[in-house]
């Protein structure tokens, strides 16, 4: 064989990468984008009371009391994003009475679906840590305390 054969590769557009890398250019997705998508997707699941560990929730509660501030949608979410893949770590507080294994499966399914659909990245893993179980009795009373003096 004396002919020189050249292999041509089509644009990289597999289901796992979508059109992130093509002959026309590359699309990069920031970690914050993936963490917001994952945080919103996790909060959509019934049985998730909140995201974040104790300190993150305390800071979030303070932040929400500041006029004009917004909820941090990526609270309790850590991600690693590569060119084609993403890994997600979630810290959650589950509502009391919810089957935690079923809750974790639903969260994983929703996070994987949302991140892959919106970014085109393949989600390799979703690790979930349950930091607490929320009880209705844990909710602070918003009613003002009765005053002893009038």
């Amino acid at each position: 064989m004396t002919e020189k054969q050249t292999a041509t590769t089509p644009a990289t557009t597999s289901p796992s990468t979508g059109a992130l890398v093509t002959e026309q250019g590359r699309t990069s997705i920031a970690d914050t984008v993936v963490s917001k998508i994952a945080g919103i997707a996790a909060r959509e699941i019934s049985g998730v009371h909140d995201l974040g560990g104790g300190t993150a929730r305390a800071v979030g509660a303070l932040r929400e009391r500041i006029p004009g501030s917004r909820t941090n949608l990526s609270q309790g979410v850590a991600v690693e994003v590569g060119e084609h893949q993403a890994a997600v770590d979630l810290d959650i507080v589950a509502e009391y009475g919810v089957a935690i294994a079923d809750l974790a499966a639903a969260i994983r399914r929703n996070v994987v679906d949302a991140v892959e659909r919106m970014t085109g990245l393949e989600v390799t893993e979703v690790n979930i840590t349950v930091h607490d179980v929320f009880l209705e009795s844990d909710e602070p009373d918003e009613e003002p305390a009765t005053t002893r003096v009038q």
Side-chain angles (χ1 to χ4, degrees):
M1 280 179 80
T2 59
E3 293 179 24
K4 183 177 181 182
Q5 295 180 351
T6 58
T8 57
T9 57
T12 306
T13 57
S14 66
S16 64
T17 61
L20 294 176
V21 179
T22 66
E23 292 174 352
Q24 289 82 27
R26 174 179 310 214
T27 302
S28 298
I29 298 174
D31 293 6
T32 55
V33 173
V34 176
S35 66
K36 281 185 181 181
I37 293 169
I40 292 168
R43 283 180 174 87
E44 290 175 347
I45 302 300
S46 177
V48 174
H49 176 73
D50 204 357
L51 267 64
T55 305
R57 289 193 326 267
V59 171
L62 288 173
R63 183 183 303 118
E64 288 176 1
R65 293 187 183 271
I66 299 171
S69 68
R70 293 183 288 183
T71 302
N72 181 3
L73 298 175
S74 58
Q75 172 182 304
V77 182
V79 298
E80 291 181 41
V81 179
E83 277 189 35
H84 307 290
Q85 297 177 328
V88 180
D89 296 325
L90 297 169
D91 297 327
I92 71 163
V93 176
E95 293 179 357
Y96 177 77
V98 174
I100 293 175
D102 294 341
L103 177 64
I107 292 169
R108 277 190 188 93
R109 189 172 37 252
N110 205 41
V111 168
V112 168
D113 289 347
V115 171
E116 288 184 350
R117 178 177 45 83
M118 295 177 73
T119 66
L121 295 168
E122 175 191 5
V123 178
T124 58
E125 62 183 18
V126 177
N127 299 313
I128 300 169
T129 302
V130 181
H131 281 277
D132 200 0
V133 175
F134 175 76
L135 303 170
E136 288 295 324
S137 62
D138 290 345
E139 188 71 40
D141 293 333
E142 293 296 325
E143 295 179 21
T146 57
T147 60
R148 299 183 330 169
V149 192
Q150 289 188 354

